[in-house]
Amino acid sequence: MNHAFPCGTLPLDFVGTLRARRNELPTEKLATPDLLDDWFVESGMVDEPPRADEVDLETAIDLREAIYSLVAARLAGESLPGADVAEVNRQAAGLPVKTQLVEGQVRHTASVSQALATLARHTIEIVGGDEAALLRECARPECTQVYLDRSRGHRREWCAMRTCGNRVKAAAYRARKSPAGA
């Protein structure tokens, strides 16, 4: 697998395809059209790669950044940027992923624009709905992944315990166990 899905929420995991946003050189996980195809398949959105090209990749990255901008605005309690609202709304107006029953099995197929429309619609539901209050950013300083905190007490700190949570806890343990000043 080329991609990680720590959030369990497709638009937020899609935002996470640009890793460590605050670093001088963030890591781009959608560097090629093939990697975009892989993301759609690995996420479970589609069963077959939609065969993205360079224009599709540019459109997808534009949508990803618009989604991040909206989420960041919600996290900061700011007004939603109009240009990014327009981009998400424009993408959401497209046809969604096609779901069919084929030989007794569920089959998901889509073009890149259909997959992006599905992500945009889900973004609208999150950012414009009650779930916006559940938006959080990972507490590990190097991570910029956003997620929905659906934990019972709404005290989740990390995008995923198995990655960021373990790293933070292991670092804290090492700091406690190492001699002071050593």
Side-chain angles (χ1 to χ4, degrees):
M1 276 184 63
N2 292 313
H3 301 284
F5 302 89
C7 301
T9 307
L10 289 179
L12 301 181
D13 283 326
F14 191 62
V15 163
T17 60
L18 183 62
R19 299 265 168 80
R21 286 177 176 272
R22 288 185 288 272
N23 287 1
E24 188 173 323
L25 293 171
T27 303
E28 177 61 74
K29 300 301 282 183
L30 298 179
T32 67
D34 287 342
L35 287 170
L36 177 61
D37 282 344
D38 290 347
W39 191 91
F40 288 131
V41 173
E42 291 172 17
S43 72
M45 283 187 76
V46 296
D47 299 315
E48 300 170 7
R51 297 188 172 158
D53 61 22
E54 290 294 334
V55 172
D56 294 328
L57 179 60
E58 186 177 319
T59 302
I61 289 172
D62 287 347
L63 177 62
R64 176 190 69 193
E65 295 310 304
I67 294 169
Y68 181 73
S69 176
L70 297 180
V71 168
R74 279 287 186 237
L75 286 168
E78 298 170 354
S79 297
L80 299 177
D84 296 316
V85 169
E87 175 67 14
V88 170
N89 284 338
R90 186 179 67 74
Q91 291 290 339
L95 295 172
V97 170
K98 188 165 138 183
T99 303
Q100 294 179 304
L101 190 59
V102 178
E103 297 177 9
Q105 301 291 316
V106 175
R107 199 82 181 129
H108 299 99
T109 58
S111 65
V112 172
S113 64
Q114 287 173 302
L116 295 177
T118 300
L119 286 172
R121 283 188 181 94
H122 196 172
T123 298
I124 290 168
E125 295 295 330
I126 292 169
V127 173
D130 293 340
E131 287 186 314
L134 303 177
L135 285 166
R136 304 284 186 274
E137 186 175 60
C138 185
R140 187 171 72 93
E142 299 81 27
C143 184
T144 54
Q145 182 70 56
V146 290
Y147 60 91
L148 293 174
D149 182 3
R150 294 185 176 121
S151 66
R152 187 185 321 183
H154 300 291
R155 295 182 301 161
R156 181 175 160 190
E157 295 180 58
W158 304 288
C159 59
M161 184 60 196
R162 71 183 182 282
T163 53
C164 289
N166 282 341
R167 288 177 188 165
V168 170
K169 288 185 175 207
Y173 176 80
R174 284 190 301 275
R176 283 191 310 272
K177 294 297 180 183
S178 69

